[in-house]
């Protein structure tokens, strides 16, 4: 595996030199300042590339070129937005950056309810708590019809929890869900969020899959022509939330995806944390099955709880068998004769991370360094054994 680290650009407290010291050789980043749906211009791409290469690193993967909501909804100016996307593909290819990660999650990108959840050892982790989610939906955003998406037990617990919450707790929960997470496209307020969600009222899972298929049939030929691979990121968490359809959560969904366009350019970002939060996903089996389409790896481990909650555990602990996962990855790399870019996905806040202000949640320096070092050791151990 090629070791990479995500970098959020100049505003990131983790610098390119830090990434070098972590032992990574590749960087994963995006033009975070460009509005969703606009064209990425060559000079802007080149500037970031120069900066990365200036310290002797490589821009291994773009994460992400986001997909405009109108494309997901197939409405309004979606055709223009798709043309813009095609132009961005041509432009990044022109600059010789040929790997693009994207997702097709409606309205929200990844979602957590707690960004700094304290663990027994004093470090903090990201957490998705089903009861907190129910509190948010019922008492903070007042979503009509949410009851059918939760068990009575969770709803009862949500009622009790809400009564004990301070105003600050409520604000923290709202911010965690709507504006806390790095890499997401927009910070949202409740009214805007509600309006965006209402656009999906009549969009079923199948409709959204049709819209994804349409988008891919438009852009994949351009990607192919330019030697670019597209790698979809699975939905995180891998379940419908807030009544929104989520369509990339399981083996069946990935089967559908690869069938939309039969091309190696129509690929997958295999995120073991996102897919691992669904207990029905057999990750090593899925790696084998989709081996020709996996272009990018996000390695992390979640600890699943009975009611659908989970938290992000240390990379080698948690509910997924990281040994079996890395073994499968090394096997497919050998078979395909490729080296796949991998990034240690997220990490706890620990040691000096805990003193750093304005950290990007999940993207701490030391926590990810620990994850990367553990994964590096695991991989070396397996390949030498
Ligand atoms: C979270 C990330 C996601 C990912 C996008 C890809 O840490 O893995 O935000 O970048 O979903 O488009």
């Amino acid at each position: 595996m090629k070791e990479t680290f995500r970098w959020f650009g100049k505003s990131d407290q983790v610098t390119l030199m830090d990434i070098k010291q972590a032992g990574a050789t590749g960087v994963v980043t995006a033009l975070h300042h460009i509005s969703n749906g606009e064209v990425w211009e060559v000079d802007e791409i080149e500037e970031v590339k120069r900066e990365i290469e200036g310290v002797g690193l490589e821009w291994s993967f773009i994460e992400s070129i986001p997909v405009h909501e109108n494309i997901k909804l197939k409405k309004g100016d979606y055709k223009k937005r798709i043309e813009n996307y095609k132009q961005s593909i041509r432009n990044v290819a022109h600059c010789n950056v040929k790997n693009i990660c994207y997702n097709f999650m409606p309205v929200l990108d990844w979602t957590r309810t707690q960004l700094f959840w304290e663990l027994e050892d004093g470090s903090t982790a990201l957490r998705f708590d089903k009861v907190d989610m129910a509190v948010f939906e019922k008492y903070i955003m007042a979503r009509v019809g949410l009851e059918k998406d939760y068990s009575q037990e969770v709803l009862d617990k949500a009622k009790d929890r809400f009564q004990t919450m301070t105003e600050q707790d409520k604000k923290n929960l709202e911010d965690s869900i709507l504006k806390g997470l790095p890499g997401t496209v927009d910070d949202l307020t409740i009214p805007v969020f509600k309006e965006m969600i209402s656009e999906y009222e009549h969009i079923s899972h199948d409709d959204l899959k049709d819209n994804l298929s349409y988008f891919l049939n438009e852009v994949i030929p351009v990607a192919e022509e330019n030697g670019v691979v597209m790698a979809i990121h699975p939905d995180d968490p891998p379940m419908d939330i807030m009544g929104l359809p989520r369509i990339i959560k399981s083996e069946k969904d990935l089967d559908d995806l690869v069938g939309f366009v039969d091309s190696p350019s129509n690929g997958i970002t295999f995120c073991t944390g996102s897919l691992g939060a669904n207990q029905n996903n057999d990750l090593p089996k899925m790696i084998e099955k989709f081996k020709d389409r996996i272009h990018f790896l996000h390695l992390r481990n979640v600890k699943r709880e009975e009611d659908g909650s989970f938290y992000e555990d240390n990379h080698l602990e948690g509910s997924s068998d990281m040994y079996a996962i890395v073994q499968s990855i090394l096997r497919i790399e050998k078979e395909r004769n490729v080296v796949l870019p991998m990034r240690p996905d997220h990490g706890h806040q620990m040691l000096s991370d805990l003193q750093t202000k304005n950290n990007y949640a999940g993207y701490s320096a030391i926590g990810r360094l620990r994850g990367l070092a553990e994964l590096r050791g695991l991989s070396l151990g397996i390949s030498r054994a």
Side-chain angles (χ1 to χ4, degrees), residues 18-19 40 58 80 94 111 113-114 185 194 211 246:
D18 295 340
I19 293 174
W40 285 25
E58 170 201 281
K80 170 175 163 227
H94 176 83
T111 308
T113 57
Q114 276 141 292
V185 174
K194 277 184 131 166
N211 296 353
R246 299 264 203 161

Side-chain angles (χ1 to χ4, degrees), residues 178-233:
L178 296 185
K179 46 183 101 152
L181 292 177
T184 53
V185 174
D186 296 306
D187 282 354
L188 301 170
T189 58
I190 296 268
V192 173
F193 182 54
K194 277 184 131 166
E195 198 178 312
M196 288 174 85
I197 284 191
S198 71
E199 301 260 16
Y200 285 86
E201 241 161 49
H202 302 292
I203 305 238
S204 66
H205 292 84
D206 285 346
D207 295 333
L208 193 60
K209 278 191 179 173
D210 284 348
N211 296 353
L212 172 58
S213 173
Y214 178 86
F215 168 67
L216 289 173
N217 276 284
E218 287 286 316
V219 300
I220 294 298
V222 179
E224 271 184 342
E225 261 163 49
N226 289 277
V228 165
V229 296
M230 300 276 296
I232 197 165
H233 189 286

Side-chain angles (χ1 to χ4, degrees), residues 6 63-64 101-103 105 109-110 233 298 343 345-346 363:
R6 194 168 189 184
E63 181 171 348
S64 308
C101 172
Y102 71 102
N103 74 75
M105 288 177 249
D109 188 318
W110 58 311
H233 189 286
H298 286 183
R343 66 177 180 82
D345 200 11
H346 309 168
Y363 289 93

Side-chain angles (χ1 to χ4, degrees), residues 52-72:
I52 294 171
E53 291 177 353
V55 301
L57 291 164
E58 170 201 281
W59 188 352
S60 305
F61 234 95
I62 293 167
E63 181 171 348
S64 308
I65 303 187
V67 178
H68 194 270
E69 283 301 298
N70 283 355
I71 299 178
K72 295 178 208 161

Side-chain angles (χ1 to χ4, degrees), residues 122-135:
S123 63
T124 70
L126 291 152
R127 176 174 173 82
F128 179 84
D129 188 290
K130 206 69 197 245
V131 175
D132 279 339
M133 199 66 209
V135 167

Side-chain angles (χ1 to χ4, degrees), residues 286-302:
M286 288 164 78
I287 293 169
E288 276 299 325
K289 177 161 182 178
F290 299 108
K291 60 183 166 204
D292 296 326
R293 298 293 186 95
I294 295 175
H295 301 308
F296 188 24
L297 303 156
H298 286 183
L299 298 187
R300 70 182 161 85
N301 214 326
V302 296

Side-chain angles (χ1 to χ4, degrees), residues 5 14 347-353 364-371:
F5 231 59
V14 179
H348 294 166
Q349 307 263 119
M350 58 174 66
L351 308 177
S352 62
D353 296 331
S364 56
I366 311 290
R368 280 186 297 161
L369 174 69
R370 172 176 171 174

